[in-house]
Amino acid sequence: MKRGQLTVIHADGTQQSFGEPDPALKPVTIRFGAGATRRILRDPSLGAAEAFMDGDIDIVEGEVLDLLILFAANNRWEDDNSVLMPSTLKKVTDKLAFRLGRINMQRRSKKNVAHHYDLSGKLYDLFLDTDRQYSCAYFSAPGISLEQAQLDKKAHIVAKLAIEPGMKVLDIGCGWGGMALYIHQKTGAEVLGVTLSEEQLKVARQRALDAGVADKVKFELIDYRNLTGAFDRIVSVGMFEHVGTPHYRTFFRKVRELLTPEGVMLLHTIGRAGGPGVTDTFTLKYIFPGGYIPALSEIAKGYEGLRYFMTDVEVLRLHYAETLKHWYERTVAARDAIIGLYDERFYRMWCFYLAGCYVSFQYGGLVNYQLQFSRSRDALPLSRDYMFDGERELREPHKVTLRQAG
């Protein structure tokens, strides 16, 4: 602790202060319960999280986001001098456990998805945008709303896909159907969305029925490995983090099999700015069992040698931090409602999860990748200008209306 000030009140009443006041960082005071120190020493990541969830760590001044910002701002990824590193033994045991945990066979994949995405729909309505986009938004201008940023994200992605009338589109990991419905609305393409979440499937199908497009936008409960057919375009947003590194080759091989010869695929995923790593124990236990955030080198091993062209790469550095800040603030504002749905412990867990993710993008080594692939070198225009032109058109409603009418 160099920048910002942290005060710790121990269980015996003694008090210590660390760091120096910094106007850019809010001061934080925490109080340890009788078992907090022991829990943290035993497993810093999981122990600190569970101590906070159980009230064994009480934040007297500030909130959990302020606490995590203090630590992360003093240990930025790019400074390469972080002291928040696990021991060698901890690294070994984590890797052994994690290698087993990320083997996501089909039955385990469905169970892992249900753990997170089959939570109450009311919870997601409380902190997500109105379209329930549960992935990195695109902040095309400073100060725009979360709703606008998620709308701009969809336009950003769909413009890259260069979808033409009459095309068939596959959405792998379709969530509650927002992207699939947007694609059809803006381009007229037929879309199939697939998910492993039964709750998401119900909502997505109902949304298509309500919009009167259930014959053009269809949703199925199916593992991507079991898909058949041919698609001109494939999009996958926020799903690749659940594939598991042993299955990257399977994923890319299947996508190539499903693409037409002139087909194009857009992969939107959280990624590591550095090399391969492991998922922390808190996230594996409480948030995303079987989840893993890949390094770009690991993604490359999945598609290399399969006769793909990687046709575009974009790195969204701070967009997810902005997105998570909105989600965290909405969660805090909905405290009473979330406790009513679950309990105080769940609310604290959710705050810790979102705050931890925020600092990982704002100060840590996480980014968001948008990777475009094509089976053909000629499937897309020679320059990237078509993306900018398409995105501009998608953001102008009167042009969309004319396209749909024509």
Side-chain angles (χ1 to χ4, degrees):
M1 290 293 301
K2 302 284 178 58
R3 297 177 52 223
Q5 192 163 47
L6 172 67
T7 301
V8 178
I9 303 172
H10 294 279
D12 62 2
T14 59
Q15 183 171 307
Q16 288 179 287
S17 291
F18 305 90
E20 297 292 337
D22 187 315
L25 298 170
K26 295 179 182 178
V28 177
T29 300
I30 61 177
R31 178 184 289 113
F32 282 172
T37 304
R38 187 165 52 254
R39 296 171 80 168
I40 293 170
L41 287 173
R42 187 167 57 243
D43 186 334
S45 171
L46 184 61
E50 290 184 333
F52 172 71
M53 289 161 57
D54 295 335
D56 210 11
I57 292 178
D58 186 35
I59 302 179
V60 180
E61 180 184 12
E63 53 189 83
V64 67
L65 180 60
D66 302 325
L67 174 65
L68 297 185
I69 285 175
L70 268 185
F71 284 118
N74 278 277
N75 293 274
R76 297 191 310 162
W77 176 83
E78 59 266 44
D79 293 338
D80 196 30
N81 62 355
S82 175
V83 297
L84 301 180
M85 298 297 291
S87 68
T88 301
L89 178 60
K90 185 80 169 77
K91 288 180 182 178
V92 171
T93 55
D94 280 352
K95 285 183 178 180
L96 286 172
F98 188 59
R99 285 183 189 279
L100 295 174
R102 56 184 169 178
I103 300 175
N104 289 326
M105 306 308 288
Q106 292 192 32
R107 184 179 298 179
R108 176 182 280 183
S109 292
K110 189 176 187 304
K111 182 180 179 182
N112 288 343
V113 166
H115 177 92
H116 192 93
Y117 296 100
D118 285 352
L119 292 170
S120 171
K122 293 180 181 178
L123 170 68
Y124 292 106
D125 286 336
L126 289 170
F127 76 95
L128 296 179
D129 66 300
T130 52
D131 195 40
R132 282 199 191 174
Q133 288 292 305
Y134 195 19
S135 59
C136 176
Y138 185 74
F139 288 82
S140 56
I144 65 175
S145 68
L146 177 62
E147 274 68 23
Q148 185 62 52
Q150 291 291 14
L151 192 62
D152 289 350
K153 183 267 296 293
K154 287 177 282 190
H156 195 64
I157 289 173
V158 174
K160 290 183 177 185
L161 286 166
I163 301 171
E164 298 176 3
M167 284 187 170
K168 292 186 176 181
V169 181
L170 171 65
D171 182 0
I172 302 177
C174 62
W176 293 278
M179 178 63 77
L181 291 165
Y182 178 91
I183 289 172
H184 175 71
Q185 177 195 3
K186 296 295 185 179
T187 70
E190 293 186 17
V191 188
L192 171 64
V194 297
T195 178
L196 291 179
S197 166
E198 295 184 12
E199 291 302 315
Q200 288 185 334
L201 179 70
K202 291 176 188 176
V203 173
R205 283 180 169 174
Q206 189 61 50
R207 291 183 69 185
L209 283 170
D210 293 344
V213 296
D215 58 329
K216 300 294 184 181
V217 185
K218 300 177 181 179
F219 299 98
E220 298 292 342
L221 189 74
I222 187 171
D223 191 288
Y224 72 91
R225 288 166 280 205
N226 297 328
L227 283 165
T228 58
F231 299 90
D232 303 289
R233 298 291 186 264
I234 296 178
V235 63
S236 184
V237 178
M239 174 270 183
F240 195 71
E241 300 90 331
H242 306 283
V243 169
T245 49
H247 306 283
Y248 288 176
R249 196 75 171 171
T250 301
F251 177 87
F252 281 106
R253 186 179 287 114
K254 188 63 180 182
V255 166
R256 192 182 192 284
E257 174 190 317
L258 294 168
L259 282 172
T260 62
E262 297 297 311
V264 176
M265 187 259 193
L266 192 287
L267 178 66
H268 172 111
T269 180
I270 301 171
R272 297 175 186 271
V278 297
T279 304
D280 66 277
T281 48
F282 164 75
T283 301
L284 283 177
K285 182 175 180 179
Y286 289 100
I287 309 299
F288 293 116
Y292 175 67
I293 295 172
L296 196 57
S297 59
E298 292 175 298
I299 300 174
K301 289 178 182 177
Y303 70 82
E304 284 180 345
L306 296 180
R307 301 294 178 178
Y308 272 109
F309 288 95
M310 180 184 273
T311 44
D312 194 75
V313 180
E314 183 175 8
V315 183
L316 305 179
R317 292 163 289 112
L318 292 170
H319 291 266
Y320 221 150
E322 289 294 320
T323 306
L324 285 153
K325 190 74 178 299
H326 280 277
W327 291 350
Y328 176 85
E329 290 171 349
R330 291 182 178 200
T331 294
V332 172
R335 178 182 181 275
D336 292 343
I338 294 173
I339 292 174
L341 281 174
Y342 295 100
D343 54 28
E344 175 77 24
R345 190 174 192 269
F346 181 94
Y347 168 75
R348 283 173 168 253
M349 178 195 74
W350 207 256
C351 286
F352 193 91
Y353 150 55
L354 294 176
C357 289
Y358 167 78
V359 298
S360 295
F361 284 93
Q362 185 68 31
Y363 303 102
L366 297 188
V367 296
N368 213 92
Y369 292 122
Q370 286 190 355
L371 310 174
Q372 186 193 64
F373 300 89
S374 177
R375 287 184 57 179
S376 166
R377 71 180 73 230
D378 302 315
L380 294 163
L382 192 61
S383 77
R384 300 179 85 244
D385 291 350
Y386 81 92
M387 298 183 189
F388 308 125
D389 295 340
E391 193 168 344
R392 193 177 305 113
E393 184 176 352
L394 285 165
R395 291 184 188 178
E396 296 181 20
H398 69 280
K399 289 189 176 182
V400 173
T401 302
L402 289 173
R403 179 191 291 179
Q404 290 174 333

